[in-house]
Amino acid sequence: MARYVFITGGVVSSLGKGLASAALGALLQARGFSVRLRKLDPYLNVDPGTMSPFEHGEVFVTDDGAETDLDLGHYERFTGVAARKTDSVSSGRIYSNVLEKERRGDYLGKTIQVIPHVTNEIKDFLTIGADEVDFMLCEIGGTVGDIEGLPFFEAIRQFGQERPRGQCIFMHLTLLPWIAASGELKTKPTQHSVKELRSIGIAPDVLVCRSERFIPEKEREKLALFCNVRPDSVIAAYDLKSIYEAPLAYHREGMDQAVLDAFGISPAPKPNLSRWEDVADRVFNPEGEVTVAIVGKYTQLEDAYKSIAEALTHGGMANRVKVKIEWVDAELFEREDAAPHLEGFDAILVPGGFGERGTEGKIKAAQFAREHKVPYLGICLGMQMAVVEAARNLAGLKTAGSQEFDHESGAARFEPVIFHLKEWIKDNQTIARDVLDDKGGTMRLGAFTATLKENSKVAEIYGTHRIEERHRHRYEVDVKYRERLEEHGVCFSGMSPDGRLPEIVEIADHPWFIGVQFHPELKSKPFAPHPLFADFVRAAKEISRLV
Ligand code: GLN
């Protein structure tokens, strides 16, 4: 049975609990342990699939097709362990399970209460797959004291109590604010946060203190004394220049040692941090810079494209260049010339998205990249819009568009080059869906295989003819337009194994123009940059050298 580390937060949100959890996972791996990370979110949405990227940031999709919180992306990027459906849960999902059981009569007419029914449901969730790893790291979203979070805190308290001694520890992340007027770091908010935690029965074993200033020994001792933790278990977490510095920085401050001490694991296996040393070296010693424009709709909130930004950084690391991202709002040039908005970039990326708003701008961005021979990577909607562009401007299908926008507006305005897929095959089974299904879960979601064409650019980039990538979309390029598009220079270089669904298109007469129906960014890691991103940045680097 795995040992459990529960990670909670206090004082304020957005302290980087997800990053601290992910970095701890990486450090435990560096000491030879296997880990799995899990997120428990207090909000009432059943899953983040239908939450606005403006509010919630990106939806991270797992191989097994779950739409999850973007923190799972951090977990994967730091540990390389593919997250699963069962690594993320919200209050909404827990309550919905409990209510479903109640309706089915599973509780035999008993009164259904938060304790024990909701807390039992949470505890059951915690134990899924617990025999597979040495450590299970469970992060509780929000901060201690939030009303929605209470059942989770109560459940982990019970869980810690019910397990054998030494099997669960609690790590609490807080903020030490710097008061400029008095020139002091303040420990009081942390003391209050720990007090709150202890009032619900949880005593932290490790305290991680975010601070923009150095934490003097005196303050550390004070925190240890007032918060009832050992001085060695007060870990400083200073602001970092790059998130990829986190494993090394937290190791220096003794985080992994404190965790192993709390479990009584002694002597602790020595860590091998060479992977993270190499990553840090690549981040901090680039030999050049390229600028990539991301042309999208949610450009005000960078978290909406979190994995793409990270994958570009990884691509830069593979080529030892810094990738500077410029966010360009596609709506700016829907009705005007795109050139003044797009000139001067070394590459253009059009990411995924939903709905018609901004799409004419994305089509113009694809056209600009194609005509000016600028490296172009179109992801999901970015691929679909590149196909629409080619259909309109190369193949002469002037009214080409996506059925998605016709469904949205209720009018048939477009020739449906991109059409609504109502059934597909997964694991030899046909899955059928209707457009009127529940909003969540009507998409082709999760990992699917694609076969790559001999001698295509993508086959060379991937170095194989069979790939598995993650999907999240309802619409597809209609294969019936394949011949016509191929006659005009579009190459269908990746297809579903049955040949029905186009997965990758390339523009033949172009140095680097690739559109992919899937989301390659979800599988990129700093220590294993995704081949498409690595090669995209290589192409951008070549262009930037030419000018
Ligand atoms: N809106 C498009 C679809 O549903 C693209 C989705 C995406 O980019 N993730 O097919």
Side-chain angles (χ1 to χ4, degrees):
M1 180 84 173
R3 293 181 164 95
Y4 280 78
V5 183
F6 291 106
I7 299 118
T8 58
V11 182
V12 289
S13 58
S14 305
L15 285 179
K17 236 180 325 129
L19 177 61
S21 311
L24 175 61
L27 289 174
L28 291 170
Q29 281 181 323
R31 291 188 186 253
F33 296 108
S34 59
V35 300
R36 178 163 288 285
L37 284 111
R38 219 157 248 187
K39 177 90 191 266
L40 296 89
D41 264 314
Y43 53 72
L44 284 168
N45 306 63
V46 175
D47 65 50
T50 46
M51 291 166 91
S52 162
F54 281 119
E55 242 181 73
H56 196 69
E58 137 188 300
V59 173
F60 190 82
V61 181
T62 58
D63 278 334
D64 59 4
E67 301 181 275
T68 68
D69 187 87
L70 53 75
D71 271 320
L72 267 71
H74 277 315
Y75 301 166
E76 277 201 28
R77 282 188 283 274
F78 279 81
T79 62
V81 176
R84 298 180 193 150
K85 233 177 212 138
T86 45
D87 290 330
S88 151
V89 82
S90 64
S91 292
R93 163 73 58 203
I94 294 285
Y95 278 96
S96 140
N97 290 353
V98 169
L99 294 176
E100 205 176 292
K101 287 185 184 168
E102 189 272 336
R103 293 287 80 189
R104 260 200 329 248
D106 289 7
Y107 298 117
L108 307 174
K110 287 222 163 54
T111 309
I112 311 305
Q113 295 177 301
V114 173
I115 306 172
H117 300 95
V118 170
T119 48
N120 282 351
E121 189 70 28
I122 297 170
K123 288 188 289 181
D124 288 347
F125 168 78
L126 291 173
T127 52
I128 301 169
D131 291 330
E132 297 169 21
V133 287
D134 299 322
F135 285 94
M136 193 75 97
L137 276 49
C138 303
E139 176 190 350
I140 314 292
T143 43
V144 56
D146 295 347
I147 288 177
E148 299 97 318
L150 279 172
F152 285 128
F153 283 90
E154 169 60 14
I156 62 173
R157 179 197 70 75
Q158 293 174 15
F159 193 85
Q161 196 64 13
E162 290 161 7
R163 300 276 128 193
R165 261 182 214 285
Q167 207 179 29
C168 300
I169 68 156
F170 297 89
M171 181 164 113
H172 191 56
L173 201 80
T174 70
L175 174 73
L176 299 190
W178 168 256
I179 307 295
S182 59
E184 277 176 307
L185 274 179
K186 287 296 184 190
T187 63
K188 191 66 96 191
T190 297
Q191 294 179 40
H192 276 290
S193 179
V194 171
K195 196 168 156 194
E196 178 84 32
L197 201 57
R198 291 172 70 189
S199 76
I200 49 182
I202 296 172
D205 299 282
V206 179
L207 207 54
V208 180
C209 301
R210 286 296 312 274
S211 167
E212 42 180 278
R213 302 275 174 145
F214 176 72
I215 306 174
E217 202 47 45
K218 187 168 80 34
E219 302 305 318
R220 212 184 277 260
E221 277 164 16
K222 186 167 163 190
L223 280 163
L225 183 64
F226 282 81
C227 299
N228 196 36
V229 295
R230 290 156 196 271
D232 287 348
S233 299
V234 179
I235 309 298
Y238 301 119
D239 295 350
L240 303 172
K241 285 202 202 72
S242 158
I243 54 169
Y244 298 120
E245 210 189 334
L248 295 179
Y250 291 160
H251 174 70
R252 261 196 314 273
E253 298 300 331
M255 182 193 273
D256 42 334
Q257 188 62 55
V259 165
L260 295 174
D261 285 348
F263 281 113
I265 297 177
S266 171
K270 292 249 168 310
N272 174 359
L273 293 164
S274 53
R275 169 188 271 186
W276 294 102
E277 281 153 6
D278 179 53
V279 163
D281 179 50
R282 286 170 185 272
V283 171
F284 292 118
N285 303 302
E287 286 157 9
E289 183 176 289
V290 299
T291 310
V292 179
I294 299 187
V295 183
K297 186 163 67 172
Y298 310 112
T299 47
Q300 301 92 319
L301 180 71
E302 295 185 11
D303 267 0
Y305 301 119
K306 186 75 192 152
S307 292
I308 292 186
E310 295 308 326
L312 282 171
T313 304
H314 307 159
M317 287 156 64
N319 292 281
R320 283 207 172 265
V321 289
K322 182 175 161 38
V323 178
K324 202 168 140 218
I325 296 172
E326 294 277 347
W327 303 91
V328 180
D329 184 351
E331 285 182 89
L332 289 179
F333 47 85
E334 285 205 293
R335 269 169 293 279
E336 50 180 277
D337 187 12
H341 299 274
L342 297 176
E343 263 157 6
F345 294 118
D346 301 316
I348 294 173
L349 188 154
V350 177
F354 291 83
E356 186 170 6
R357 199 159 59 78
T359 50
E360 289 301 324
K362 294 177 186 179
I363 292 169
K364 282 191 174 167
Q367 182 177 10
F368 177 89
R370 181 176 58 76
E371 290 176 349
H372 293 80
K373 307 252 185 265
V374 179
Y376 177 90
L377 176 57
I379 295 177
C380 211
L381 187 66
M383 176 254 210
Q384 297 174 354
M385 293 306 102
V387 170
V388 168
E389 193 277 318
R392 286 185 190 174
N393 301 324
L394 291 176
L397 297 164
K398 289 289 167 234
T399 59
S402 170
Q403 258 184 1
E404 176 174 6
F405 314 146
D406 279 351
H407 287 157
E408 198 178 26
S409 65
R413 295 167 299 152
F414 294 115
E415 166 136 19
V417 173
I418 312 299
F419 80 114
H420 184 239
L421 179 78
K422 297 202 179 67
E423 59 170 59
W424 60 87
I425 296 169
K426 177 138 197 169
D427 303 328
N428 294 325
Q429 276 188 320
T430 304
I431 302 181
R433 289 279 158 75
D434 196 282
V435 84
L436 301 173
D437 272 355
D438 273 339
K439 265 268 176 282
T442 57
M443 287 191 264
R444 184 146 84 98
L445 275 172
F448 287 83
T449 307
T451 42
L452 310 185
K453 193 171 167 175
E454 291 284 335
N455 301 324
S456 60
K457 189 183 250 63
V458 284
E460 187 190 321
I461 293 172
Y462 274 97
T464 167
H465 291 108
R466 212 178 152 82
I467 58 167
E468 280 240 319
E469 293 281 8
R470 296 183 193 166
H471 290 245
R472 179 174 184 253
H473 55 103
R474 291 187 183 85
Y475 298 85
E476 306 274 347
V477 176
D478 193 337
V479 73
K480 78 172 187 235
Y481 294 95
R482 176 174 184 172
E483 216 172 301
R484 176 132 182 198
L485 284 162
E486 289 203 318
E487 278 164 20
H488 292 88
V490 181
C491 166
F492 283 62
S493 54
M495 298 293 293
S496 60
D498 63 3
R500 284 175 59 202
L501 304 174
E503 296 275 12
I504 308 178
V505 295
E506 295 173 21
I507 297 285
D509 177 26
H510 192 287
W512 212 103
F513 193 109
I514 295 176
V516 292
Q517 185 57 76
F518 46 81
H519 290 275
E521 71 275 18
L522 302 178
K523 285 175 78 168
S524 189
K525 278 126 203 149
F527 45 83
H530 191 286
L532 275 178
F533 280 89
D535 206 62
F536 179 56
V537 173
R538 184 200 54 73
K541 182 173 156 186
E542 236 157 62
I543 292 264
S544 79
R545 293 245 161 98
L546 294 177
V547 259

